[in-house]
Amino acid sequence: MERAPASTEQACMLCRRAEADPDICGCKLEKEGLCAHVFCLFFANELYQQRLKELGLMGFLPEDIRRTIQRAAQKDCFVCGENGAAITCHETDCDRSFHLPCAVEGGCVTQFLPQYRSFCWEHRPEQAVEAAPEENTTCLICLDPVGDRKSYGTMVCPACKHAWFHRGCIQGQAARAGISCFQCPLCRDKEEFVLEMLTVGIRIPFRLPSWENSRAYAALYERHGRCDASECLCPGGREQAEEEGPWQLLLCCSCAAEGTHRRCAYSGNSTASWECNSCAGLGTDSSTASELAGPSTAKTSSPGSAAPGPSHGSPVLEGSSRSSPPGPKRVRDRSRLRRRAQTPYSWPRRRPESSRAPAPSAESRSPRQAALGPSHGSPAPDIGSPSTASQLPSGSSAFPALDSGSCSSLPGPVRTRDRSRLRRRAQNPYSHLDSPMLDFAFLFSYSGGA
């Protein structure tokens, strides 16, 4: 029976662990028959780093490391009970010693700062912020419940006092984010939060985030570099590409995920862009987009329409448009109301009696003007003026455009509509207000009900 090969991984001579949490102990160094974790060297008692890091293990001389190992062999770890504890509490007259991997289990704090001080569970620094988690408060990172009070394993943000998390969870986030991106998970505070975490023993690597160092997004920066034509004509293959000429690789101008040689796409040297079949089928090119937009509204109007129809913004007036059939029957023309609905602020303001010009007679206007009703230049008659009221014939209203819709008299019997309600509204006490919006709303209420 063959024996399984023994593990070739060497254990750290200071903590005596072959496998340890790299977020706490760091990487393992091996040189000149010595093996130790980086932070086991930094936290060890009476072991100092030289200025030249090329010497020994990151500047720690081999003879100094061996002397430290001999002294640690005489001390037992108060957490696991084994000897070889190379770290002692920084508090004066405290002789508690421990291994670096045993620090979290024993409630110790190791400050990953240039002084690299260590404290036992009794003399460790505590968070000074006065806060207590509410009932059913969960960790913002793992979403598991936190303790009912602040403790070694339950921590809070000193800035917002509302972000609660476990020590192990925030340590993992700090190891991945690095000093440049580490911040409070809730309030995003950085300065006060980072200083507090370093004080209570959270190791924050002085490097970029791990997702940038590992080149996790390196594939996004790669440029497509092969011809995807159904039949590649390049003698060098699909991967060959030149800067210019027939074998220049053209990428899709929409997605840049496919490419083709100029010759394979049967395009000349003057072609500046190319689009793959997938993007062209989706309507991303300009020609397809213009076709998908459909014909304009001007083309959809009937050829027999003499005047443009009402706009889409006035659906109420749309149904009031009627053609005038031949014969004695007279209908109301809504062209003026349509213009007012499209440009509500163009309603003419009332002017004094002296500034008004006499309205042109029905005989002097063209047939088109007669069909469209009063022009913008002709003011509406003022019913409040005695002179104007006396000039009106009996039975006619003060708004001739609303009575008949035409200023010219057509042959045949004339049908008049009773405008007593309109006259009473025109004589209301608020008729002196010179507001185009009020006039438009006033006329629109009657045009919609007609």
Side-chain angles (χ1 to χ4, degrees):
M1 184 176 180
E2 295 183 0
R3 179 178 288 182
S7 176
T8 58
E9 187 176 1
Q10 190 175 358
C12 174
M13 294 181 175
L14 294 174
C15 69
R16 300 186 179 183
R17 304 288 195 280
E19 296 180 358
D21 187 2
D23 294 343
I24 302 297
C25 299
C27 61
K28 191 184 298 182
L29 303 177
E30 297 182 20
K31 189 176 181 181
E32 300 181 10
L34 298 175
C35 179
H37 292 111
V38 172
F39 291 105
C40 288
L41 294 172
F42 279 102
F43 284 104
N45 300 328
E46 300 181 8
L47 185 60
Y48 305 101
Q49 185 183 27
Q50 305 298 321
R51 293 185 177 181
L52 296 179
K53 295 184 179 181
E54 292 79 8
L55 300 176
L57 298 180
M58 288 188 63
F60 294 96
L61 299 179
E63 54 272 19
D64 294 342
I65 298 175
R66 291 187 178 95
R67 283 195 297 265
T68 302
I69 295 174
Q70 294 176 0
R71 289 194 299 266
Q74 303 175 3
K75 297 182 180 180
D76 296 336
C77 176
F78 80 97
V79 180
C80 66
E82 297 181 2
N83 59 3
I87 304 174
T88 305
C89 179
H90 186 75
E91 185 69 20
T92 306
D93 299 333
C94 182
D95 57 352
R96 291 190 180 96
S97 299
F98 53 90
H99 302 107
L100 183 58
C102 300
V104 176
E105 184 181 353
C108 304
V109 168
T110 52
Q111 296 178 345
F112 293 84
L113 294 171
Q115 295 183 358
Y116 294 99
R117 299 185 302 178
S118 304
F119 300 91
C120 65
W121 60 270
E122 185 179 359
H123 304 108
R124 69 190 180 201
E126 302 282 351
Q127 285 191 280
V129 57
E130 295 294 336
E134 298 179 357
E135 188 177 0
N136 300 326
T137 300
T138 59
C139 173
L140 289 177
I141 301 175
C142 68
L143 302 181
D144 289 339
V146 297
D148 56 352
R149 60 185 179 86
K150 185 180 56 180
S151 62
Y152 177 79
T154 301
M155 309 173 70
V156 64
C157 173
C160 64
K161 302 179 183 179
H162 294 288
W164 292 87
F165 35 80
H166 300 114
R167 173 179 286 269
C169 296
I170 200 64
Q171 176 60 74
Q173 180 177 345
R176 289 183 294 270
I179 192 65
S180 59
C181 296
F182 185 57
Q183 56 189 358
C184 173
L186 182 61
C187 68
R188 308 301 182 188
D189 180 80
K190 191 171 183 179
E191 296 181 1
E192 187 177 359
F193 181 76
V194 169
L195 182 60
E196 181 84 356
M197 294 299 105
L198 288 173
T199 304
V200 296
I202 300 299
R203 181 202 165 204
I204 308 174
F206 287 81
R207 55 166 173 77
L208 293 175
S210 59
W211 54 81
E212 293 187 8
N213 290 340
S214 61
R215 296 180 57 83
Y217 305 102
L220 299 178
Y221 298 98
E222 295 181 0
R223 186 177 184 269
H224 189 76
R226 69 186 306 270
C227 176
D228 298 304
S230 57
E231 182 181 359
C232 183
L233 305 177
C234 182
R238 297 181 179 271
E239 304 295 335
Q240 181 179 352
E242 299 179 357
E243 294 184 359
E244 57 183 10
W247 308 124
Q248 180 184 1
L249 191 64
L250 299 178
L251 297 183
C252 176
C253 59
S254 296
C255 66
E258 295 188 16
T260 181
H261 295 115
R262 287 186 180 272
R263 179 68 59 84
C264 300
Y266 300 99
S267 59
N269 295 332
S270 60
T271 304
S273 62
W274 168 81
E275 195 169 30
C276 64
N277 295 332
S278 301
C279 294
L282 293 175
T284 54
D285 57 334
S286 57
S287 59
T288 309
S290 61
E291 293 176 1
L292 292 177
S296 62
T297 55
K299 295 181 181 180
T300 58
S301 59
S302 60
S305 301
S311 63
H312 296 285
S314 56
V316 179
L317 297 178
E318 215 169 289
S320 63
S321 174
R322 301 182 181 91
S323 59
S324 300
K329 187 177 180 179
R330 299 179 61 188
V331 294
R332 298 182 61 187
D333 184 16
R334 300 294 183 185
S335 59
R336 184 177 182 183
L337 294 180
R338 292 193 199 102
R339 292 195 301 271
R340 288 287 179 262
Q342 295 173 358
T343 55
Y345 294 100
S346 63
W347 188 268
R349 297 181 177 273
R350 298 175 180 175
R351 303 176 181 176
E353 180 69 22
S354 59
S355 62
R356 294 198 188 97
S361 61
E363 292 78 11
S364 63
R365 285 184 292 180
S366 62
R368 179 175 179 84
Q369 293 176 345
L372 293 177
S375 62
H376 291 286
S378 60
D382 190 356
I383 62 172
S385 173
S387 59
T388 307
S390 61
Q391 295 175 3
L392 294 175
S394 60
S396 63
S397 75
F399 297 94
L402 295 178
D403 287 343
S404 62
S406 175
C407 294
S408 60
S409 301
L410 298 179
V414 179
R415 298 177 59 188
T416 60
R417 300 183 61 181
D418 184 16
R419 297 298 179 183
S420 58
R421 184 180 179 184
L422 184 61
R423 295 191 190 97
R424 290 195 303 268
R425 282 294 182 90
Q427 296 173 0
N428 69 80
Y430 299 100
S431 61
H432 66 282
L433 295 177
D434 188 13
S435 174
M437 290 301 296
L438 290 177
D439 294 340
F440 172 73
F442 173 68
L443 294 177
F444 187 79
S445 63
Y446 279 95
S447 64

